[in-house]
Amino acid sequence: MSDRETFTITFDGEAVPVVSGQTIAAALIAGGRSSWRRTRVAGEPRGLFCGIGACFDCLVTVNGARSVRACLVTARPGDVVRSEGGGRVDPI
């Protein structure tokens, strides 16, 4: 068991436990979520792929900021995280 602080964030309205220092992606995976976004065309589920910010498979909305790479952002107490649906994105 870790001596590090624990807290919660919310993901799509559900509480997710976090250990201080975890990225949002790490917290979601530790909480049993393997995907949190869908591709634009086929609607395929996506989550953590590269884990270093080189791809865009782990995009989420964090505290209202869209298209945040969950693998790069350290979770903070009270963060509100939402999944991003790919199939309904308006064309540019």
Side-chain angles (χ1 to χ4, degrees):
M1 189 69 167
S2 174
D3 291 336
R4 297 185 344 188
E5 174 189 358
T6 60
F7 55 88
T8 60
I9 61 175
T10 60
F11 175 71
D12 288 344
E14 296 181 18
V16 175
V18 179
V19 176
S20 180
Q22 279 185 319
T23 63
I24 291 172
L28 292 175
I29 290 171
R33 292 159 178 89
S34 60
S35 65
W36 47 83
R37 180 181 81 79
R38 294 204 170 265
T39 59
R40 289 182 180 164
V41 177
E44 295 293 324
R46 294 290 185 260
L48 188 64
F49 180 68
C50 75
I52 60 171
C55 75
F56 295 89
D57 276 356
C58 67
L59 295 179
V60 291
T61 297
V62 181
N63 302 324
R66 294 195 56 186
S67 299
V68 173
R69 286 180 252 182
C71 70
L72 296 179
V73 177
T74 302
R76 296 174 301 172
D79 276 346
V80 176
V81 182
R82 291 186 305 123
S83 57
E84 292 198 6
R88 299 174 194 225
V89 174
D90 295 331
I92 297 175

